[in-house]
Amino acid sequence: EEKQYAKAADYFKRAMLLNPDFEQVYYDLAGLQITLEQPNEALVTLEKAAGKFKANFVASFYRGMAHSVLKKYSEAIKHLIAAEVWAKANEPQRLTQIFYFQMGATYERGGQHADAEQAFRKCLELAPNFPDALNYLGYMWAERGVNLSEARTMIAKAVELEPKNAAYLDSLGWVLFKLDQPQEALKHLLEAVKHSEKPDATIYDHLGDVYTSLKQYEQAREAWRKSLETEPSELIRKKLEASPRE
């Protein structure tokens, strides 16, 4: 609870040594290892649990999350589906908006956009004002240039719920750009920069595209330079080189 995760992991490991039959501690440790971006260690912990205890929702869910961190999205989805099937049969209350958000994000990262949309819609049925899901689904559509009107509505709702969230402001600017409203998009992207805790390469890239559409080429090049300073990208480097001079 104090977010001292490394110390917490050490104590969970001690608890396992003292009582190897204490089932919950395996899942507490695995969840913490995923938070610490130690997915392989989490999978080892879960494998130990599998050798001692029956299959359950949490074990399958954390396996899915660990594989997602490893970018093994097909494997991750397999375990998330197993978790969903188990929960439907035994503990349907486990299937919360958080579960379907994670499932949607995993499908999206694996390129399964139709399945991602279905999972996000389930998430939003359970929690219509869940801003992360509103933003994620809306941005996914904006990136692909589909369902732009609904995407704008969803993202605008997320911004309304968290008006200083830089990621949501960036998404709103991006969907407005895709709707051919660059001047309106610019306003929100500049707000996104203002509220970012640290420089964000994606926001600056979006700014570069918007400035280019407004024929403000010097501002576009400056935005792309900032994007490259934040995170190297061959695509953005090519945009910068190809940018017209005023």
Side-chain angles (χ1 to χ4, degrees):
E1 289 175 1
E2 292 281 344
K3 301 189 187 302
Q4 297 183 40
Y5 297 134
K7 284 186 179 180
D10 184 49
Y11 280 111
F12 284 140
K13 288 173 184 175
R14 292 188 203 184
M16 285 171 59
L17 288 172
L18 289 167
N19 184 358
D21 294 323
F22 183 8
E23 183 176 6
Q24 183 59 43
V25 76
Y26 290 82
Y27 308 131
D28 289 340
L29 176 59
L32 194 55
Q33 288 167 326
I34 293 165
T35 300
L36 288 165
E37 296 190 356
Q38 299 171 352
N40 288 311
E41 290 87 337
L43 289 170
V44 170
T45 301
L46 292 166
E47 195 59 36
K48 290 178 182 175
K52 298 176 71 66
F53 311 112
K54 293 180 180 179
N56 60 71
F57 172 85
V58 175
S60 294
F61 178 70
Y62 280 157
R63 279 196 186 91
M65 290 294 91
H67 281 103
S68 185
V69 174
L70 290 165
K71 299 184 179 179
K72 296 180 178 179
Y73 300 118
S74 295
E75 188 70 14
I77 285 297
K78 182 179 78 173
H79 291 293
L80 291 176
I81 290 172
E84 183 183 34
V85 169
W86 192 94
K88 283 180 176 178
N90 299 281
E91 292 182 84
Q93 71 274 16
R94 292 278 196 180
L95 300 176
T96 65
Q97 68 269 26
I98 300 297
F99 173 80
Y100 283 112
F101 177 83
Q102 295 293 354
M103 179 174 262
T106 305
Y107 272 128
E108 187 274 333
R109 290 166 187 153
Q112 295 177 245
H113 297 111
D115 291 316
E117 177 181 335
Q118 186 177 20
F120 283 128
R121 287 197 184 278
K122 285 183 182 178
C123 171
L124 289 167
E125 284 174 15
L126 293 165
N129 293 324
F130 187 8
D132 279 350
L134 290 164
N135 177 68
Y136 203 131
L137 180 54
Y139 186 77
M140 182 183 84
W141 283 334
E143 276 286 89
R144 297 173 59 230
V146 300
N147 295 354
L148 292 177
S149 180
E150 189 177 3
R152 177 183 180 174
T153 300
M154 284 189 171
I155 296 167
K157 187 174 180 180
V159 169
E160 184 181 337
L161 291 163
E162 294 187 22
K164 295 183 180 181
N165 187 302
Y168 302 169
L169 288 162
D170 172 59
S171 297
L172 185 54
W174 194 233
V175 75
L176 287 164
F177 173 70
K178 290 296 187 84
L179 285 164
D180 198 25
Q181 298 177 40
Q183 197 66 56
E184 189 69 13
L186 179 60
K187 180 177 73 174
H188 295 292
L189 289 171
L190 291 173
E191 279 290 302
V193 171
K194 176 182 171 183
H195 291 296
S196 294
E197 293 182 3
K198 59 184 180 180
D200 186 292
T202 299
I203 295 174
Y204 283 122
D205 180 30
H206 290 167
L207 261 178
D209 288 345
V210 170
Y211 276 129
T212 296
S213 72
L214 293 168
K215 297 183 169 52
Q216 297 180 32
Y217 301 120
E218 185 52 47
Q219 291 94 325
R221 286 193 295 275
E222 179 62 21
W224 284 326
R225 278 192 287 268
K226 287 180 178 177
S227 181
L228 286 171
E229 287 169 6
T230 306
E231 184 179 307
S233 165
E234 185 65 18
L235 177 63
I236 295 172
R237 187 186 64 78
K238 288 178 178 178
K239 286 184 183 181
L240 182 58
E241 289 177 353
S243 177
R245 298 281 170 178
E246 291 179 10

